[in-house]
Amino acid sequence: MAISSWDEFPVHQSPDWIRHAGTTDRNFYDRNYFCMHGSSDELFAIFGMGQYPNLGVQDAFCCIRRGDKHHVVRGSRPLTDRMDMSVGPMRIEVIEPLKKVRYIVEPNEHSIAMDVTWDASIRAMEEPNQYIRSEGRVVFNTQRFAQLGRWEGTLSVGGEDFAVTPDRWGGARDRSWGIRPVGEPEGDGIRQGINVMSGMWNYFPMMFDDHAILYMNNEADDGTRRLVEGKRVWVDGRPDEDLGRSEHEHTFESGTRVLTHSTISFPEAGIEIDCQPLLVNFVSVGTGYGMDADWRHGMYQGPGLVVQGKVLDVDTEVKPIGQYGVVDHVGRYTYDGNVGYGLYEHGFFGPFHRYGMTDGAAGAP
């Protein structure tokens, strides 16, 4: 059925029903990402939900690092009404657009249950469009907004209960949509051997007492920068500050692609930030971000609802493969007497000679 509840609202962007995207590209998607931490190394929760109109799929996940365990609950179902933001025990409620959002994982047979509400600390920030064309085909054309905020509610993982209070529980979120590889793998054709997202990915949204800094850098092995951002955003509404070109110095756990420390500087603004990861969550494993052959974002799992859970050992089952995908940490950031926390996200794909990764498998020295 094409008509849905969304068609009651003046939000159409094409002559078609809202159920149908304005493009027939199979890789069109529309997703939420959230992360939550206690400004410490006690646990790191990452959760999200996505719709894939041209694949006919909606899925969701919640992934929590606690101690030496990697907990995952994930679900998938056929996409029906796009206003229905639920997949099995997981659902999103938009309480106040761009300000207050609730994410729920109802109690289930797996190891995670959660009911938390997000309250934004800064306005939603429009991020640069990511556009990558490879051998004639557009493989990335995405739009995204980002935000930092505080969480409140309850969380249970592995039989432990946590009271989530906004005095110390914070995090980041983003909403993104557009085109990027999703669903079942496609044949590479002329792009055989080409990693369209090669190089270094840094994404460090950080929250301080009265301001946030958003740093992003997608840098190719030859030093070309394809997507960058460096911005300071004030809570009181003062004009945003463009911090200029960024520079990075990263330190790795030897033999891996996992960062242990970073220094990010903005020479034009006179800012140098010490970046310390507190707890890593290898979010690429078990959640759909491409490391599991049987579960990818938008992959068809069957004609009905499918809900699965996993509890994996971080060092033996997750890290060996997870380090080659997107890696998320709770980050502590300090500069000029300011101390803040946020997402410390990185990925190194293919060779990156500056840090000694000479091919797609090599870790840093």
Side-chain angles (χ1 to χ4, degrees):
M1 185 174 178
I3 192 170
S4 69
S5 61
W6 265 120
D7 290 300
E8 282 279 19
F9 299 92
V11 294
H12 297 84
Q13 300 296 308
S14 75
D16 218 328
W17 306 103
I18 288 297
R19 169 61 181 82
H20 302 306
T23 173
T24 58
D25 192 312
R26 73 180 293 279
N27 289 335
F28 182 81
Y29 78 103
D30 201 339
R31 288 192 57 81
N32 287 270
Y33 166 99
F34 303 89
C35 69
M36 182 175 73
H37 58 80
S39 303
S40 70
D41 62 359
E42 63 188 308
L43 66 81
F44 191 20
I46 302 173
F47 36 101
M49 184 175 295
Q51 296 183 347
Y52 314 88
N54 295 335
L55 298 176
V57 171
Q58 179 161 323
D59 55 29
F61 74 92
C62 182
C63 170
I64 299 179
R65 166 73 187 274
R66 172 62 174 161
D68 61 359
K69 298 303 181 185
H70 181 85
H71 298 259
V72 176
V73 174
R74 63 192 188 187
S76 176
R77 65 171 176 81
L79 175 63
T80 51
D81 190 331
R82 293 189 64 189
M83 203 168 183
D84 181 359
M85 294 187 290
S86 68
V87 181
M90 292 165 280
R91 72 178 185 271
I92 294 173
E93 297 178 1
V94 178
I95 299 170
E96 183 180 348
L98 306 181
K99 176 64 177 176
K100 195 179 292 289
V101 181
R102 184 181 180 198
Y103 196 99
I104 299 166
V105 183
E106 297 284 2
N108 57 83
E109 62 182 303
H110 305 296
S111 63
I112 299 172
M114 184 170 69
D115 186 345
V116 291
T117 298
W118 157 278
D119 191 20
S121 298
I122 62 170
R123 67 178 180 84
M125 303 298 300
E126 300 173 7
E127 293 190 336
N129 169 255
Q130 184 177 26
Y131 186 92
I132 301 175
R133 186 186 292 272
S134 178
E135 300 294 340
R137 181 177 179 181
V138 175
V139 289
F140 278 82
N141 186 9
T142 66
Q143 191 60 62
R144 190 166 81 166
F145 72 73
Q147 208 168 25
L148 288 139
R150 314 303 296 175
W151 291 99
E152 184 170 13
T154 59
L155 166 67
S156 175
V157 56
E160 295 183 88
D161 296 328
F162 297 86
V164 177
T165 54
D167 57 321
R168 68 184 190 92
W169 288 82
R173 76 166 181 133
D174 69 64
R175 282 278 292 114
S176 68
W177 57 92
I179 295 167
R180 73 179 184 190
V182 294
E184 291 76 4
E186 296 182 272
D188 290 329
I190 195 173
R191 287 174 294 280
Q192 292 182 54
I194 297 175
N195 185 338
V196 298
M197 189 63 179
S198 62
M200 180 190 77
W201 168 254
N202 286 174
Y203 182 58
F204 301 177
M206 46 192 99
M207 191 72 216
F208 301 94
D209 287 341
D210 60 356
H211 68 281
I213 289 180
L214 306 179
Y215 158 72
M216 175 170 27
N217 184 7
N218 177 207
E219 184 172 316
D221 188 34
D222 65 3
T224 303
R225 296 185 172 187
R226 294 174 292 198
L227 187 66
V228 296
E229 186 171 48
K231 186 178 295 184
R232 180 157 54 185
V233 182
W234 296 95
V235 172
D236 63 10
R238 273 177 280 173
D240 303 341
E241 296 177 51
D242 184 348
L243 301 180
R245 180 182 171 88
S246 61
E247 302 296 341
H248 54 86
E249 291 293 339
H250 295 309
T251 303
F252 293 77
E253 179 184 338
S254 181
T256 76
R257 297 189 169 211
V258 181
L259 293 180
T260 60
H261 182 263
S262 300
T263 300
I264 303 300
S265 60
F266 299 92
E268 296 173 30
I271 292 174
E272 182 174 287
I273 305 172
D274 182 86
C275 312
Q276 182 65 53
L278 300 181
L279 184 68
V280 63
N281 185 325
F282 294 99
V283 65
S284 292
V285 177
T287 60
Y289 281 94
M291 307 304 286
D292 301 88
D294 65 335
W295 195 281
R296 292 165 55 95
H297 290 159
M299 179 179 283
Y300 179 62
Q301 300 293 334
L305 172 67
V306 175
V307 178
Q308 300 176 350
K310 291 178 175 287
V311 180
L312 305 173
D313 182 83
V314 172
D315 287 337
T316 62
E317 297 179 278
V318 178
K319 182 179 179 179
I321 185 67
Q323 65 177 301
Y324 293 100
V326 173
V327 180
D328 287 1
H329 308 250
V330 182
R332 181 174 61 227
Y333 300 100
T334 58
Y335 83 99
D336 296 343
N338 298 289
V339 179
Y341 297 87
L343 173 62
Y344 179 108
E345 180 178 275
H346 64 81
F348 292 86
F349 313 114
F352 202 75
H353 286 82
R354 171 173 170 176
Y355 292 118
M357 291 171 280
T358 56
D359 57 42

